[in-house]
Amino acid sequence: MKKFLRLAFVVFCVAPMSQSLNAQRVAKDVCPRPEAGSVVTEPEDLRSRNGVLEATLVANDVAEADGSRRYCFTDGGGRESPNLRVSPGDLVVLHLKNALTDVGSSANKGAAGSTNGAAIMDHSQMHMDMHGQAGDACTRGTTMSAVSTNLHFHGLTIPPVCHQDDVMKTSVQPGDAPFEYRFRVPADEPPGLYWYHPHIHGFSKDQLLGGASGALIVEGIERAKKAAAGLPERVFIIRDLDLINPNAPPSKSEPVVPKFLIDRDGDAANNGTGFGKPAKDLSINYVPVPYPDYPPATIEMKPGEKQLWRVLNASAITYLNISVLFNRKPQPLGLVAMDGVPMGHTAAAEEEVSEQTHVGLPPGARVEFVVAGPPEGVTGLLVTRTVDTGPGGENDTNRALAKIVPLASAAEPRSTLQAHPGALPASTEAWLGDVAPVRVRRFYFSEKLLDPNDPTSAVEFYLTEEGQEPKMFDMAAETPNVVAQQGTVEDWIIENRSHELHAFHIHQLHFLLLDYMGRPANEDFLRDTVNVPYFDGRSLVYPGVRLRMDFRDPNTVGTFVYHCHLLEHEDKGMMGSIRVDPAPRAGENHAGGAEKAAPADGQAALPGQTIR
């Protein structure tokens, strides 16, 4: 019957078939993806010139055969998700054009966070709002949709206002004129790896899973850490994506594992073994490493060559535990920076390197480390070890990401750090750990389960200050969840009362991890994202972390958000807002109601401490 239909309509279908082939050709050209096993190439660099980085970024998407969508940003030359390279003090001007396509009824898919609890607009209403009839891009916070976009500059300390780093009101729609982002990188911004991605509440997970992310590098790490001076550098962005082979059985080389469970979002739930079907596939610089056999990508480097690797976990939901192996033996990774901030706060830190054999990276986190390539004749592996996400979490399995092949003919990395840089100016601010907090606040992660006996049945996600009622975040709310004051420092205790791992992130600032699970952390570096361990249901106290939050920078003034960086959790309500008010002028009273707190006791080093 199918043959008959094809023959009967061949004359009449010439034009549609031509259009279909053209559509396939266009789809292949939009956000292209390498084949599994490909050599890893690095994103193109867009560098500032004469103190200015000006570029166009176009948000693109295209439908995959399985119904999912690929996303990416391209610059004016069509280069995909370029690295944005700037120096402290530079002016950044980005013209964001929304070229996302109309996804019809799928715009409502998973939109619990669109207005968080309010009715989702119908498609005709969404279409009207896209074309500007609901106000300009700075005022559309409650009309975010599957075809909306914006940019968040993760980790940068820049003002949370429209045209800089606002994600609560800014929503750029298809048909809008290019939207201008214009901000200045602070002169004291720490050198390191930051990143950019869309932050459309209710739809962030889908766009990040599709690949909409890129690296932003503040130059000068070699000025802070002498071990990096003169080294070739590599940028590796690890993203997750929906399983390419979702119905495949696990590889026969794996041990037999318990029958896998599926959570409410259709992902493989954590089975606690490190094996079996993962919740998501991973890619490295868009080279996919698909389940079940995980054919690794290929990283080529000269035998034994030292390089600085900048690794970003741009996953929507997947935790990483990075390690480099030669003949199954973990290699030393000379850590120089976490979350964009050089490690160490003393003058002696320039000479110091923290050697680790594996590094935990929650979604959104970054690490920069010095690594030596394998010797000639030895093939290394870049791997991620399993992460225990709890009985309510996803299955993040052991898997190789890339084989590291020593080749004398390996191409030179695109960028090499200065060999003889000047030192960074000394900070004029006191070390955050030495500043007494004006207030201690307590927050907790929690979830609403459909079935109280099934930790994988969560349908609503909350991040609540102690004493308040747990609620999904409401983008339309006028009152912030928290009010703080610029110029102060606070301690935040974040507990996890759910049965799955969560990753706490706050915009506009970095924090110091003081305590982890009730023990001093003794860290000499700052973060902007940290794991909060899951509750096992048996402990007498909830697991948690204590963070010293830094509101001293004037760029923190304004209203911004804190949330779980598993974006399906954020999209479904696990977020809060904070307004930082300007410091009072001379003679004015400080905000009242502060709970005074002394600094934490001396921080003792933990035996066998690893980077969480």
Side-chain angles (χ1 to χ4, degrees):
M1 184 63 177
K2 289 182 179 178
K3 288 183 179 178
F4 170 77
L5 288 173
R6 193 176 296 122
L7 290 170
F9 287 93
V10 66
V11 174
F12 301 98
C13 292
V14 169
M17 283 178 65
S18 174
Q19 292 171 1
S20 175
L21 289 172
N22 185 59
Q24 291 176 17
R25 187 159 53 248
V26 170
K28 198 171 182 181
D29 292 340
V30 175
C31 304
R33 298 293 184 258
E35 296 293 328
S38 298
V39 173
V40 176
T41 59
E42 291 169 67
E44 296 283 348
D45 290 323
L46 299 184
R47 298 179 181 271
S48 61
R49 297 184 182 278
N50 300 318
V52 178
L53 173 60
E54 183 166 9
T56 294
L57 288 180
V58 181
N60 305 281
D61 70 333
V62 65
E64 299 273 30
D66 62 1
S68 64
R69 303 187 78 80
R70 292 198 306 268
Y71 292 83
C72 67
F73 293 103
T74 53
D75 70 356
R79 292 167 290 199
E80 189 173 13
S81 302
N83 297 328
L84 305 181
R85 289 185 173 268
V86 297
S87 295
D90 281 353
L91 176 66
V92 178
V93 183
L94 299 174
H95 307 282
L96 177 63
K97 175 62 180 173
N98 186 342
L100 299 181
T101 52
D102 194 332
V103 294
S105 60
S106 68
N108 291 340
K109 185 181 86 170
S114 179
T115 53
N116 259 13
I120 305 302
M121 72 185 78
D122 65 27
H123 186 61
S124 61
Q125 179 65 37
M126 183 190 74
H127 187 77
M128 182 193 76
D129 290 332
M130 285 194 306
H131 288 79
Q133 297 178 34
D136 65 25
C138 290
T139 59
R140 292 203 192 106
T142 58
T143 59
M144 293 182 176
S145 74
V147 290
S148 304
T149 196
N150 59 16
L151 288 173
H152 168 47
F153 303 98
H154 185 124
L156 287 185
T157 308
I158 56 177
V161 298
C162 193
H163 299 287
Q164 296 199 54
D165 193 32
D166 164 65
V167 300
M168 299 187 66
K169 303 291 186 183
T170 304
S171 181
V172 182
Q173 310 298 343
D176 284 355
F179 180 82
E180 183 180 274
Y181 282 90
R182 178 181 288 263
F183 60 88
R184 191 169 294 280
V185 180
D188 59 353
E189 191 73 71
L193 177 61
Y194 301 78
W195 64 300
Y196 60 93
H197 64 87
H199 207 291
I200 294 295
H201 187 51
F203 303 92
S204 296
K205 184 194 82 167
D206 289 342
Q207 295 191 19
L208 213 61
L209 267 179
S213 56
L216 190 155
I217 297 162
V218 177
E219 305 282 19
I221 187 68
E222 68 274 31
R223 300 178 64 196
K225 305 298 281 187
K226 290 185 178 179
L231 295 185
E233 60 173 311
R234 310 288 291 271
V235 177
F236 296 125
I237 304 176
I238 300 171
R239 301 173 173 94
D240 57 5
L241 63 154
D242 288 327
L243 294 178
I244 295 172
N245 306 307
N247 299 318
S251 171
K252 292 182 180 179
S253 64
E254 287 195 353
V256 176
V257 299
K259 184 178 180 180
F260 65 85
L261 299 175
I262 298 295
D263 67 16
R264 283 284 301 172
D265 296 289
D267 298 322
N270 180 31
N271 61 34
T273 69
F275 298 98
K277 181 182 290 190
K280 300 295 179 187
D281 278 334
L282 293 172
S283 71
I284 177 167
N285 289 6
Y286 290 126
V287 179
V289 187
Y291 165 84
D293 296 319
Y294 307 121
T298 300
I299 295 173
E300 297 178 345
M301 59 191 300
K302 290 180 170 59
E305 180 181 53
K306 281 189 175 182
Q307 296 182 349
L308 176 72
W309 285 14
R310 305 182 189 259
V311 180
L312 157 63
N313 184 3
S315 298
I317 68 170
T318 304
Y319 293 88
L320 301 176
N321 189 358
I322 295 294
S323 188
V324 171
L325 309 178
F326 297 170
N327 294 325
R328 297 185 177 271
K329 180 181 178 181
Q331 300 301 299
L333 308 178
L335 271 59
V336 298
M338 286 290 298
D339 286 354
V341 180
M343 302 180 76
H345 64 280
T346 64
E350 289 182 25
E351 307 284 348
E352 297 170 354
V353 170
S354 173
E355 285 202 348
Q356 303 285 337
T357 56
H358 62 103
V359 185
L361 288 181
R366 293 87 66 209
V367 64
E368 297 164 79
F369 55 82
V370 176
V371 64
E376 191 170 354
V378 174
T379 297
L381 282 177
L382 172 65
V383 305
T384 179
R385 303 179 182 185
T386 186
V387 176
D388 181 7
T389 61
E394 285 80 18
N395 204 30
D396 292 345
T397 59
N398 293 297
R399 49 191 137 169
L401 295 172
K403 57 185 178 182
I404 308 169
V405 180
L407 284 176
S409 60
E412 293 290 339
R414 186 173 285 119
S415 184
T416 298
L417 300 169
Q418 296 180 73
H420 304 288
L424 279 180
S427 174
T428 58
E429 282 197 319
W431 167 240
L432 183 57
D434 294 335
V435 181
V438 301
R439 179 181 289 109
V440 177
R441 303 184 195 264
R442 291 180 177 269
F443 299 82
Y444 61 93
F445 291 112
S446 62
E447 301 173 359
K448 178 181 178 180
L449 304 179
L450 275 183
D451 178 355
N453 298 314
D454 180 4
T456 69
S457 67
V459 291
E460 294 183 3
F461 297 80
Y462 315 119
L463 178 48
T464 311
E465 186 172 12
E466 189 71 68
Q468 302 300 313
E469 178 186 355
K471 293 180 180 178
M472 296 172 70
F473 180 71
D474 182 1
M475 187 66 82
E478 295 295 328
T479 303
N481 299 102
V482 174
V483 178
Q485 190 173 85
Q486 186 266 318
T488 67
V489 165
E490 298 187 356
D491 277 8
W492 287 16
I493 297 169
I494 317 288
E495 292 181 343
N496 190 346
R497 301 181 185 179
S498 79
H499 296 288
E500 66 177 308
L501 188 63
H502 293 295
F504 177 83
H505 169 59
I506 187 168
H507 291 205
Q508 318 320 131
L509 59 94
H510 283 73
F511 51 77
L512 176 65
L513 175 62
L514 295 173
D515 295 282
Y516 187 86
M517 294 280 285
R519 300 182 67 188
N522 194 36
E523 292 191 345
D524 64 350
F525 58 92
L526 305 182
R527 303 172 179 263
D528 57 44
T529 309
V530 68
N531 286 336
V532 185
Y534 64 86
F535 178 52
D536 62 11
R538 301 184 301 274
S539 300
L540 297 179
V541 296
Y542 291 112
V545 298
R546 185 177 182 127
L547 313 174
R548 185 146 295 167
M549 314 299 289
D550 192 353
F551 300 109
R552 290 177 293 175
D553 197 307
N555 283 336
T556 61
V557 170
T559 301
F560 49 97
V561 295
Y562 51 89
H563 57 86
C564 176
H565 215 286
L566 272 76
L567 294 187
E568 69 183 16
H569 297 171
E570 178 224 298
D571 283 342
K572 294 180 180 178
M574 197 168 260
M575 185 156 76
S577 63
I578 176 171
R579 189 185 75 226
V580 177
D581 291 335
R585 291 173 294 186
E588 293 181 343
N589 291 327
H590 286 261
E595 178 187 341
K596 298 293 182 181
D601 293 335
Q603 309 288 310
L606 299 179
Q609 182 182 17
T610 59
I611 305 299
R612 300 170 186 87

